[in-house]
Amino acid sequence: MTNASGDEWMKRQAQALGGRVRKVRSAAGMSVQAVADTCTNEIGYKLLRTTLANLESGSRRNITIAEISAIAAALRVPPAALLFPVDEPGPVEVLPGDYRSPFAGWLWFTDAALAIDMGLAWDATDPYMTFIEHLQANIGLAKSEAAWTVISRVIEKMTAMDMEGMEPVIDQTRRQRTKIAQEARPSFDFLTEKQLPIPKLSPDLEEAIRSVTPGAGLDHA
């Protein structure tokens, strides 16, 4: 691949992404100025209106990861939705001359998540699989947080009903919440042991995780 072909691919990427940004922005009912202001004032990344306008018009030759992340946040969509729009027929040029459907491009870009779903064999000496192991722990805790929040709301509603005979149901639901903490403990311990950041957890879930019996390690099953 020559530098010239790489530069042309980069330009085509910026032009394609600019078109997607314009489509999503229009669907969201936001002006170019509104997106730029949101990036600058709310997200903390200074983005000029002219910069975004040039991107949407196709005159930009490149776009940075920082710009993609900030613009996606302002539009309230995942960055991958701008890179690989599965709601469009495609194709997407993921590499110079390598055209794939948006979904195929998304699978390629998020290969680690796909590997988890496929249940690939684990090899502690393989840096790639180690990365997936770390990713799995984060995903596990994020799912635990979501489940904990839902069940906690159910308990609050049942308690507020103050109906006779609800105690057994509430107790059973609380046991489900305890099970969530137990299942989250191995992932929590894994990230703690590796001195890696813990995904944001509600204080009561973190307290429950710390109070359960430590697991034997991260479960890859």
Side-chain angles (χ1 to χ4, degrees):
M1 181 183 70
T2 65
N3 288 336
S5 63
D7 290 344
E8 288 303 311
W9 167 61
M10 185 166 56
K11 181 179 179 181
R12 290 193 298 271
Q13 269 201 325
Q15 290 174 336
L17 198 139
R20 295 176 200 132
V21 168
R22 182 175 62 252
K23 177 182 176 181
V24 176
R25 177 184 60 75
S26 298
M30 297 180 69
S31 66
V32 172
Q33 186 66 61
V35 174
D37 288 344
T38 300
C39 288
T40 301
N41 302 326
E42 297 182 20
I43 296 170
Y45 177 81
K46 185 176 182 180
L47 182 70
L48 299 177
R49 186 196 66 79
T50 52
T51 299
L52 182 56
N54 288 338
L55 176 67
E56 291 192 3
S57 68
S59 60
R60 287 282 302 278
R61 294 193 62 86
N62 57 62
I63 183 171
T64 67
I65 293 176
E67 289 171 329
I68 294 173
S69 299
I71 293 170
L75 294 173
R76 300 185 182 278
V77 297
L82 300 178
L83 292 168
F84 310 104
V86 295
D87 59 334
E88 296 183 7
V92 176
E93 190 178 11
V94 298
L95 292 170
D98 184 354
Y99 290 89
R100 309 184 193 185
S101 71
F103 183 62
W106 182 86
L107 287 179
W108 169 77
F109 196 75
T110 58
D111 186 39
L114 178 63
I116 290 175
D117 290 339
M118 293 175 62
L120 298 182
W122 297 95
D123 181 355
T125 64
D126 186 337
Y128 175 68
M129 299 311 293
T130 299
F131 164 74
I132 293 178
E133 191 175 32
H134 297 164
L135 179 63
Q136 185 189 36
N138 279 273
I139 291 174
L141 286 180
K143 288 182 176 179
S144 296
E145 172 66 28
W148 179 276
T149 299
V150 170
I151 292 182
S152 295
R153 289 174 181 169
V154 170
I155 293 175
E156 289 176 4
K157 290 182 178 180
M158 288 192 298
T159 302
M161 291 170 64
D162 194 24
M163 293 177 58
E164 188 175 345
M166 289 292 292
E167 290 79 6
V169 180
I170 294 175
D171 288 342
Q172 182 179 1
T173 308
R174 283 174 175 159
R175 285 194 292 271
Q176 292 177 345
R177 195 168 58 173
T178 300
K179 184 178 180 182
I180 291 173
Q182 292 172 333
E183 293 175 345
R185 181 64 190 254
S187 293
F188 185 87
D189 288 346
F190 174 81
L191 293 176
T192 301
E193 182 180 330
K194 298 292 184 179
Q195 297 183 335
L196 295 171
I198 304 293
K200 185 177 180 180
L201 302 173
S202 54
D204 52 345
L205 173 56
E206 184 168 342
E207 181 181 353
I209 292 174
R210 292 181 183 277
S211 67
V212 299
T213 303
L218 184 63
D219 182 6
H220 302 299

